[in-house]
Amino acid sequence: MSIAIEYLYKYIKKFDVNLLAGESGLNNKVRWTHIVENEEIASFIQAEELLFTTGVSIKDDTTLLNIINIAKDHNASGIVVNTGKYIEKISEEVIDYCNENEFPLFVMPWNIRIPDIMRALTIIILESERTYTEISNAIKDAIFLPTHEELYVQQLERVGFKCGWDYVVAIIELEDDEHNTNNIPTYAERVKSYIEKKLSYIRNNYFAVNIGKSVAIVFYNKTDLEVEKIMKGLYISMNKDFKNLKLFIGIGKRVNNLKLLYKGYEEAKNVAKINRLISNNKVHIRYSEMAIYRLLLEIENKEIIKEFHDQTIGDLVVYDKVNNTDYVELLESYFENNCKINDTAKSLYLHRNTVNYKISKIEEILDINLDDIGDKSKIYLSLMIRYLL
């Protein structure tokens, strides 16, 4: 568990620690602390560490700049410089570098002991980790054991959640491009940390938790429009930064009680399933069709929708298999192109007369009339069902 520097800064100000540069990086996460006195030690820096230095081995600005540069390359969180004895003043070059690279640079007077600050930070980080674990477990209980309210209501209210708040659950399901499921838990932790950094500006209105091969984000006191905008932004940025992952987003319905969190989660899972089906089958689905897919997914008896599918276009599926034809594929393209012959022909690189012939053949096989709204609706619904079976 890591915590934003901005949050920690509020606590260490009492030690006369002041931010000198890199304010834009205050949302950087801190997992632990590390004392660095020279460039050789700097090579052992790990990601999300807040660094401290007395400057005992730093003889000039170049050395300090090199250490900060190494720290930045190792994804460290920031650095606190003990000034007054070995380092009297931070140069403009170092300040400019930290500002340009969004790397927080703090200074503290020589009379303040670094171990005192590190001890205080350790307590805060460990306490934060304990609280995070409690919240994570309580949210999982609310989702998977909703009838056992004693496991989560009191625990979440104790840390500031309110039972009567509005909640929206969103999930990001992960899939490795190489389908190696062993890597997913590691990716999920990285994705969660990434989300926490990206959403640091709304720190008090969400909580992210890893659940299996996905990351669930519980938003509270946010409008549906705000959540959709946030998730769209995350999806776009994550696709750029996690090129080896496939991401499937789902946003559930708003619920107005903590005890109904599980419903929002189930809804989000259903929407993610739709997006997975659409993506894996390379099917273009308009947003307006989502409501129909959601309705179909909520039908518990899948045999009912399978029977409807088989009775409606089952004969065409069999005909394609027996005769090695592509009538079902053409029918899908026909509906994707709003039942327009010319657009369908163009998308399939066929002559419009060929498409007309195949449509007539389909009508003959299925004994339907695609100009009839009733027949057209049944076929359209049946084609949607195909991606849920």
Side-chain angles (χ1 to χ4, degrees):
M1 174 61 188
S2 53
I3 187 168
I5 290 185
E6 185 176 19
Y7 180 78
L8 294 176
Y9 184 35
K10 296 176 183 178
Y11 288 89
I12 61 176
K13 277 184 178 180
K14 66 181 181 180
F15 292 97
D16 206 11
V17 174
N18 291 293
L19 178 68
L20 186 63
E23 183 177 3
S24 298
L26 285 177
N27 61 345
N28 290 351
K29 299 293 184 177
V30 178
R31 180 178 52 82
W32 207 242
T33 58
H34 192 133
I35 294 180
V36 178
E37 298 293 8
N38 56 50
E39 294 177 57
E40 184 178 357
I41 294 175
S43 63
F44 293 96
I45 294 170
Q46 296 185 24
E48 296 188 347
E49 288 185 332
L50 179 61
L51 312 178
F52 288 83
T53 183
T54 64
V56 64
S57 299
I58 299 175
K59 298 180 179 180
D60 51 44
D61 291 335
T62 301
T63 305
L64 177 59
L65 190 59
N66 288 342
I67 289 175
I68 293 175
N69 188 35
I70 294 170
K72 176 66 178 175
D73 289 343
H74 284 71
N75 295 314
S77 308
I79 188 167
V80 181
V81 180
N82 210 178
T83 58
K85 185 172 183 179
Y86 301 108
I87 299 177
E88 294 185 4
K89 185 180 179 182
I90 307 297
S91 71
E92 289 299 323
E93 184 182 6
V94 172
I95 292 173
D96 290 343
Y97 177 87
C98 291
N99 282 327
E100 290 171 7
N101 290 274
E102 300 181 345
F103 190 79
L105 168 64
F106 302 89
V107 291
M108 53 180 280
W110 180 253
N111 63 302
I112 302 298
R113 297 179 68 250
I114 287 179
D116 292 338
I117 300 180
M118 294 182 72
R119 186 181 303 110
L121 289 177
T122 298
I123 293 172
I124 295 168
I125 292 171
L126 291 176
E127 179 63 24
S128 176
E129 184 173 351
R130 184 184 67 81
T131 301
Y132 174 83
T133 301
E134 289 180 356
I135 296 175
S136 296
N137 290 337
I139 285 178
K140 290 177 183 178
D141 288 336
I143 289 172
F144 298 110
L145 299 169
T147 58
H148 294 269
E149 298 172 10
E150 72 280 3
L151 296 177
Y152 61 90
V153 173
Q154 185 177 354
Q155 289 82 340
L156 290 174
E157 287 189 330
R158 186 174 64 249
V159 294
F161 289 78
K162 302 298 181 184
C163 202
W165 277 351
D166 285 343
Y167 294 92
V168 176
V169 180
I171 66 169
I172 303 175
E173 293 189 344
L174 312 176
E175 183 178 294
D176 193 325
D177 273 348
E178 298 178 357
H179 304 289
N180 187 347
T181 57
N182 293 330
N183 291 334
I184 296 301
T186 301
Y187 284 132
E189 184 59 38
R190 286 174 54 197
V191 167
K192 182 178 70 63
S193 296
Y194 179 90
I195 290 170
E196 289 172 344
K197 186 172 182 178
K198 286 288 184 179
L199 301 188
S200 60
Y201 67 98
I202 58 164
R203 187 177 185 277
N204 295 323
N205 289 104
Y206 85 97
F207 190 87
V209 58
N210 288 347
I211 299 179
K213 300 176 183 178
S214 64
V215 178
I217 309 173
V218 178
F219 293 95
Y220 39 96
N221 298 329
K222 282 285 180 185
T223 67
D224 293 322
L225 189 61
E226 287 175 320
V227 172
E228 287 184 15
K229 184 178 180 180
I230 290 168
M231 294 306 296
K232 182 178 180 180
L234 275 178
Y235 181 76
I236 292 172
S237 62
M238 288 175 64
N239 267 317
K240 293 178 181 177
D241 296 334
F242 292 91
K243 298 184 184 299
N244 57 333
L245 286 179
K246 290 183 180 179
L247 308 170
F248 307 100
I249 304 290
I251 303 176
K253 294 177 182 176
R254 174 178 300 276
V255 296
N256 58 7
N257 196 297
L258 195 57
K259 300 173 185 178
L260 300 177
L261 208 60
Y262 74 98
K263 287 190 175 181
Y265 176 78
E266 290 173 356
E267 176 75 8
K269 287 283 289 183
N270 282 342
V271 176
K273 181 178 180 180
I274 294 169
N275 286 326
R276 181 183 291 274
L277 291 165
I278 293 169
S279 176
N280 288 346
N281 290 286
K282 299 181 180 178
V283 179
H284 173 67
I285 301 295
R286 290 179 292 275
Y287 182 78
S288 60
E289 296 170 333
M290 282 291 188
I292 301 175
Y293 271 102
R294 289 176 177 176
L295 183 63
L296 292 171
L297 283 168
E298 288 178 2
I299 298 176
E300 293 185 5
N301 189 347
K302 299 305 178 187
E303 288 301 316
I304 294 176
I305 60 174
K306 184 179 186 305
E307 183 179 352
F308 177 85
H309 167 272
D310 293 344
Q311 291 176 349
T312 308
I313 63 171
D315 289 344
L316 193 64
V317 174
V318 173
Y319 188 94
D320 275 349
K321 288 182 179 178
V322 173
N323 298 281
N324 197 29
T325 52
D326 60 355
Y327 290 141
V328 172
E329 180 182 346
L330 182 132
L331 198 56
E332 290 172 345
S333 180
Y334 179 67
F335 277 96
E336 286 175 17
N337 287 283
N338 294 313
C339 302
K340 295 179 179 178
I341 295 296
N342 287 338
D343 290 348
T344 303
K346 185 177 180 180
S347 68
L348 295 175
Y349 302 99
L350 297 174
H351 193 279
R352 68 184 312 276
N353 290 342
T354 302
V355 175
N356 273 322
Y357 168 79
K358 290 189 174 186
I359 290 296
S360 297
K361 188 66 177 177
I362 289 170
E363 290 177 324
E364 178 186 328
I365 294 169
L366 297 180
D367 190 24
I368 59 171
N369 178 8
L370 287 175
D371 289 329
D372 179 81
I373 187 64
D375 285 347
K376 184 179 291 186
S377 298
K378 287 190 295 184
I379 296 299
Y380 181 55
L381 186 59
S382 187
L383 288 172
M384 296 178 78
I385 290 172
R386 285 180 59 74
Y387 301 108
L388 303 180
L389 297 178

